[in-house]
């Protein structure tokens, strides 16, 4: 994670816009993405960071997250990005386990779009599974 993205998280947290546990959770998720070889910077992950911190904060505060009329279009777009969808579902499962705040399907879809874009903006990763017999 670059310094500008870390500053984004700090400003959201210090400004009281997000709950500390949401900021910590998102920071850990970004660190994991970077460790996997994704380019995690302000440019590539800024909107992902803000969106996920705010969604988790709303859930932790008991606020509902509405379904969006574009959910079917987003689902169709994500059909070509199964890894991003799987990662988004895994993030939701971790949020449920660690924070008690599972993401609703509409948020999983948006997170999947963010992750698909992050993958497109990251260098290709060597997939060890392809080389195994």
């Amino acid at each position: 994670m670059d310094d500008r993205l870390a500053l984004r998280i700090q400003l959201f947290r210090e400004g009281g816009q997000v709950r500390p546990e949401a900021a910590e959770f998102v920071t850990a998720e970004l660190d994991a993405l970077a460790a996997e070889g994704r380019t995690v910077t302000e440019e590539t992950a800024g909107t992902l960071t803000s969106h996920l911190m705010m969604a988790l904060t709303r859930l932790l505060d008991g606020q509902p997250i509405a379904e969006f009329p574009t959910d079917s279009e987003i689902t169709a777009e994500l059909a070509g990005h199964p890894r991003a969808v799987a990662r988004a579902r895994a993030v939701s499962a971790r949020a449920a386990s660690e924070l008690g705040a599972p993401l609703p399907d509409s948020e999983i879809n948006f997170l999947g779009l963010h992750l698909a874009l992050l993958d497109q903006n990251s260098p290709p990763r060597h997939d060890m599974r392809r080389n195994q017999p």
Side-chain angles (χ1 to χ4, degrees), residues 72-81 113:
S72 60
E73 290 89 9
I74 293 170
T75 300
E77 176 68 28
L78 287 171
H81 303 281
L113 285 176

Side-chain angles (χ1 to χ4, degrees), residues 54-72:
M54 294 299 290
L56 289 170
T57 295
R58 285 191 308 270
L59 290 168
L60 290 167
D61 288 345
Q63 297 175 6
I65 296 181
E67 296 293 318
F68 297 95
T70 58
D71 281 347
S72 60

Side-chain angles (χ1 to χ4, degrees), residues 45-125:
T47 55
L48 180 156
T49 301
S50 297
H51 188 115
L52 187 54
M53 285 192 303
M54 294 299 290
L56 289 170
T57 295
R58 285 191 308 270
L59 290 168
L60 290 167
D61 288 345
Q63 297 175 6
I65 296 181
E67 296 293 318
F68 297 95
T70 58
D71 281 347
S72 60
E73 290 89 9
I74 293 170
T75 300
E77 176 68 28
L78 287 171
H81 303 281
R83 287 184 185 192
V85 173
R87 179 60 181 243
R89 292 196 184 287
V91 170
S92 179
R94 281 190 293 282
S97 173
E98 295 176 25
L99 301 173
L103 298 169
D105 286 342
S106 60
E107 288 297 326
I108 291 171
N109 285 342
F110 275 111
L111 180 56
L113 285 176
H114 285 299
L115 292 169
L117 185 59
L118 183 65
D119 281 344
Q120 290 175 352
N121 289 316
S122 296
R125 296 181 314 270

